[in-house]
Amino acid sequence: MTSTTPVNAGRATGTPGTIGGVAGAPPAARAAALLERVTGGADSAPAEMTAPFTGLPIATLPQATDADTRAAFAGARRAQPGWAAMPATERQQVLIRLHDLILRHQDEVLDLVQVEAGKSRLDAFDEVAATALVAAYYGKHSARLLAPRRAAGVIPVLTRAGEVRHPKGVVGVISPWNYPLALTAMDVLPALAAGNAVVQKPDNQTALSALWLHELAERAELPADAWQVVLGRGSRIGDAIVEESDYVCFTGSTPTGKHLAGQIARRLTGYSLELGGKNPMVVLPGADVAKAAAGAVAACFSSAGQLCVSVERIYVHESIREAFTQAFVRRTQALRLGATLDYSAGMGSLTSAEQLDTVSAHVADARANGATVLTGGRPRPDLGPLFYEPTILTGVTERARLFAEETFGPVVAVYGYTDVDEAVERANDTPFGLNASVWSGDQRHGWEVATRLKAGTVNVNEGFAATFGSVGVPMGGMKESGVGRRNAAEGLLKYTESQSIAVQRGFRLRPFRGMPPKLWAKGMTASMRALRRLPGR
Ligand code: NAD
């Protein structure tokens, strides 16, 4: 097989006066208005960001200093008690209103996400959908999940025990550039629902998308200052965030996550880390080859592979390897690349020059170490400065960097296997454990293989979207892919301190006056034997 060219669905043309000079994007004045929502900006070196589609300026971003960041925390700390005092059911209503506003006003944020991250409109819509789903989930369930809980006390009837949840205080949220809207929502909204205030640091590249959600939250009647956005380089304001937060929620790369965990540990505050992956897909014998090939395209090339849960390794049973590979290559070659703000393209651009360098270097290195390029394998400057073709490799050897390292781009390696145990072992042979995908003609067998994969989420007959959209189950990484989970009850309760209260009535938990301790111990022993048989304890 030789490399062919995926169809070009359009190149972004420079349009004066729009954000990033992208045709059809909101006017530059809109970026300026959103940036007014930022807290602080006294750093003398503002950040100049450019649009991946055009290479033209998005905006000049004010950058916070250490003092600005601490002031944002002080503002959030002042706002937090009033917000926490509001009944949880009223806080829920803010999220429900936000959900409705997101769906109604999605067109503008689809433009912003595309312009800032360079992704296709369908990939940007995934962010809108995830944001709405998570707002609806916590809008419906957070009050119930946070409600005080009764539990059996040590002495039936006489000990009344229960658990109460308190917000942590002010949560620091640090977000990456690849899913700027969805990851803001998934990490910030539950922290707010739990009664915390939030100081968020989005990535400079994609700050406008986060600020758009911030503006909408205000329209949904979130009190001013309960959510503050600071912009800045991690190296400049990271220390202030760690030192001021009552809990840190970080999403980004494993090296940064490890660095922050070391800092946070010295303060003994809580944290969650959502980190990188090298996600495997296992195609079992008997899987529907056409469906698995179509699923692999979405699993590997959504957001040009700049997705923490995207698939970078595929293990296919030898009995169907040839048929699968041919179908996968054919469907990948049919993917339309483009830089337009409409639904005509299947894949967009990489987001930064660093990403383009990494992807190019990984593919060149794999080739030098024996890999064959089945399709793709080259940049596409004719479409935009940061485009790279969706790339399928075979014959990747252990010497290649991308054999084990996360590429975070539109590059996947296909391997054959003969035995399912071997496929499971190879899929698990990685320091990461974020997401995995299993394709099977038999759903029960697929589920059984899924339980053997060491990944925080596993999708059967899907690449990542089934777990990503199922916000009622937790999402997060095993091993070096993270600590803690987002979504579901866990993604809310991590932002709370649990407090246990027990009220003792009429019976001290000590020997009665004058009672020999030995007799007390004997009586208690008999009671415990009896209690163990009591239902509900
Ligand atoms: P990154 O670690 O470079 O940056 C993430 C964020 O941390 C950015 O906002 C950055 O400015 C900030 N940061 C960097 N150094 C800091 C410091 N010392 N103190 C405080 N903040 C600091 O990661 P990235 O390149 O932006 O994102 C890509 C990585 O994120 C990939 O590895 C990807 O797999 C991972 N990711 C994981 C998930 C998940 O849910 N597990 C989701 C998205 C991305």
Side-chain angles (χ1 to χ4, degrees):
M1 269 178 268
T2 53
S3 172
T4 64
T5 307
V7 178
N8 170 12
R11 185 191 163 90
T13 47
T15 305
T18 62
I19 303 176
V22 177
R30 180 72 176 118
L34 284 171
L35 286 167
E36 281 178 15
R37 314 189 70 76
V38 166
T39 306
D43 193 313
S44 54
E48 306 285 344
M49 306 319 294
T50 55
F53 283 162
T54 58
L56 296 171
I58 290 177
T60 303
L61 303 167
Q63 299 292 280
T65 58
D66 185 277
D68 286 335
T69 308
R70 292 182 200 275
F73 274 91
R77 211 167 282 290
R78 281 192 295 276
Q80 192 265 334
W83 171 239
M86 211 185 252
T89 45
E90 282 182 35
R91 294 199 303 267
Q92 278 193 167
Q93 288 311 310
V94 173
L95 297 196
I96 292 294
R97 287 192 288 273
L98 183 61
H99 165 272
D100 295 348
L101 287 167
I102 291 158
L103 292 181
R104 197 175 317 141
H105 298 289
Q106 60 178 284
D107 284 346
E108 187 181 44
V109 81
L110 287 170
D111 288 348
L112 291 176
V113 169
Q114 280 202 272
V115 167
E116 290 190 309
K119 59 179 75 184
S120 76
R121 201 159 190 84
L122 189 60
D123 292 337
F125 180 76
D126 280 354
E127 296 214 44
V128 166
T131 302
L133 284 166
V134 88
Y137 178 80
Y138 290 117
K140 282 194 259 181
H141 300 294
S142 52
R144 175 181 58 80
L145 293 168
L146 293 166
R149 187 178 69 85
R150 290 282 297 274
V154 55
I155 308 288
V157 184
L158 297 182
T159 315
R160 222 182 95 215
E163 183 190 10
V164 178
R165 296 268 166 188
H166 298 284
K168 290 270 184 186
V170 182
V171 173
V173 174
I174 302 174
S175 314
W177 46 263
N178 66 324
Y179 270 63
L181 182 70
L183 295 178
T184 293
M186 287 171 150
D187 292 339
V188 171
L189 299 185
L192 292 170
N196 298 285
V198 169
V199 175
Q200 185 203 7
K201 190 199 91 58
D203 193 280
N204 277 329
Q205 178 64 40
T206 49
L208 298 181
S209 305
L211 290 166
W212 181 90
L213 193 64
H214 186 263
E215 181 185 80
L216 223 61
E218 199 173 296
R219 285 174 63 185
E221 297 171 38
L222 179 74
D225 296 344
W227 172 10
Q228 313 248 346
V229 178
V230 292
L231 298 181
R233 297 163 187 90
S235 54
R236 292 293 302 274
I237 62 170
D239 288 357
I241 296 173
V242 168
E243 285 162 23
E244 299 286 341
S245 295
D246 299 311
Y247 186 93
V248 177
C249 172
F250 171 78
T251 304
S253 65
T254 296
T256 310
K258 284 183 175 176
H259 168 77
L260 286 172
Q263 283 187 304
I264 299 165
R266 287 195 282 280
R267 296 194 61 233
L268 296 182
T269 45
Y271 62 87
S272 59
L273 306 173
E274 301 285 344
L275 309 175
K278 186 74 189 173
N279 308 303
M281 170 167 155
V282 177
V283 187
L284 296 172
D288 182 319
V289 167
K291 284 190 184 149
V297 174
C300 302
F301 305 128
S302 291
S303 288
Q306 299 169 122
L307 168 60
C308 54
V309 287
S310 74
V311 164
E312 296 196 356
R313 304 179 282 149
I314 300 181
Y315 300 95
V316 197
H317 192 262
E318 284 295 349
S319 60
I320 51 173
R321 185 170 63 85
E322 189 58 36
F324 169 86
T325 308
Q326 278 181 14
F328 182 31
V329 168
R330 200 170 49 247
R331 284 173 185 273
T332 299
Q333 288 172 346
L335 203 54
R336 290 159 65 87
L337 309 191
T340 50
L341 302 191
D342 57 32
Y343 283 99
S344 62
M347 193 181 108
S349 162
L350 293 171
T351 305
S352 66
E354 294 78 43
Q355 286 299 115
L356 182 60
D357 288 348
T358 305
V359 169
S360 304
H362 273 203
V363 173
D365 170 75
R367 269 178 162 150
N369 283 292
T372 303
V373 176
L374 296 182
T375 189
R378 59 191 176 128
R380 287 292 299 274
D382 54 315
L383 299 179
L386 304 176
F387 274 82
Y388 195 93
E389 289 188 347
T391 302
I392 303 173
L393 302 174
T394 188
V396 171
T397 61
E398 289 189 24
R399 295 188 305 278
R401 282 176 63 193
L402 63 74
F403 181 83
E405 279 178 42
E406 182 185 43
T407 304
F408 215 53
V411 182
V412 60
V414 179
Y415 307 92
Y417 72 87
T418 48
D419 176 75
V420 175
D421 289 344
E422 173 207 343
V424 168
E425 195 181 314
R426 287 165 70 187
N428 286 337
D429 185 17
T430 167
F432 296 110
L434 190 57
N435 181 46
S437 168
V438 177
W439 291 77
S440 173
D442 173 351
Q443 288 182 20
R444 276 176 129 193
H445 185 45
W447 182 285
E448 187 268 319
V449 172
T451 61
R452 296 166 62 196
L453 293 173
K454 292 188 171 40
T457 54
V458 187
N459 292 266
V460 178
N461 294 341
E462 238 299 328
F464 62 83
T467 52
F468 197 70
S470 301
V471 294
V473 290
M475 178 206 163
M478 296 183 183
K479 300 191 271 180
E480 295 206 355
S481 288
V483 175
R485 297 287 184 269
R486 63 159 63 94
N487 294 344
E490 211 170 329
L492 176 78
L493 300 181
K494 70 181 181 182
Y495 293 126
T496 65
E497 290 286 1
S498 93
Q499 181 184 46
S500 302
I501 302 177
V503 180
Q504 189 58 32
R505 291 179 294 196
F507 182 83
R508 283 198 317 135
L509 294 171
R510 273 286 173 271
F512 306 118
R513 189 195 302 259
M515 185 185 211
K518 193 169 174 185
L519 192 59
W520 159 263
K522 216 171 156 187
M524 287 303 286
T525 303
S527 308
M528 283 188 278
R529 285 201 178 109
L531 281 176
R532 189 182 65 74
R533 290 187 179 80
L534 222 62
R537 289 189 60 94

